[in-house]
Amino acid sequence: KTAIVSLTKSWAIELGKKNILINSVAPGPVKTDFLKGLTKQKIQNYIDKTPLGRLALPEEIAQVVTFLAENDFINGQTILINGGRLRH
């Protein structure tokens, strides 16, 4: 994630001069079929360590992407979508 954050900021500086906005989204686990590869215990451990006590829904990620796409002044930001979880 650190590389994505750095790349987002660097590109935002360079491409912002051409009115191109660069932002990124860093979601935590999202309630999708992708999680089928994880054990129920591993998923529950993540949920237990997340202040909101649940996984993100796909539409919640889409809402943030839509918000960024509709805004003309947010640039160089990485939006964490993880229910308030601050540690791995």
Side-chain angles (χ1 to χ4, degrees):
K1 288 184 184 179
T2 302
I4 294 296
V5 171
S6 295
L7 196 58
T8 299
K9 289 179 181 187
S10 296
W11 284 0
I13 292 168
E14 290 303 314
L15 296 174
K17 298 170 188 171
K18 298 178 182 181
N19 274 340
I20 298 172
L21 303 176
I22 304 293
N23 295 293
S24 58
V25 174
V30 180
K31 193 172 184 179
T32 65
D33 289 342
F34 182 75
L35 295 180
K36 286 183 178 178
L38 300 177
T39 65
K40 288 182 180 182
Q41 184 58 48
K42 190 163 191 146
I43 294 169
Q44 190 59 51
N45 285 342
Y46 186 88
I47 290 170
D48 291 344
K49 293 178 182 176
T50 301
L52 292 184
R54 64 179 181 84
L55 301 172
L57 300 174
E59 49 271 19
E60 291 171 318
I61 307 307
Q63 288 169 350
V64 173
V65 172
T66 300
F67 170 76
L68 289 171
E70 292 175 343
N71 188 289
D72 292 332
F73 203 68
I74 297 175
N75 192 32
Q77 302 305 305
T78 299
I79 309 298
L80 304 176
I81 309 172
N82 59 12
R85 187 179 162 112
L86 300 175
R87 57 187 160 81
H88 302 295

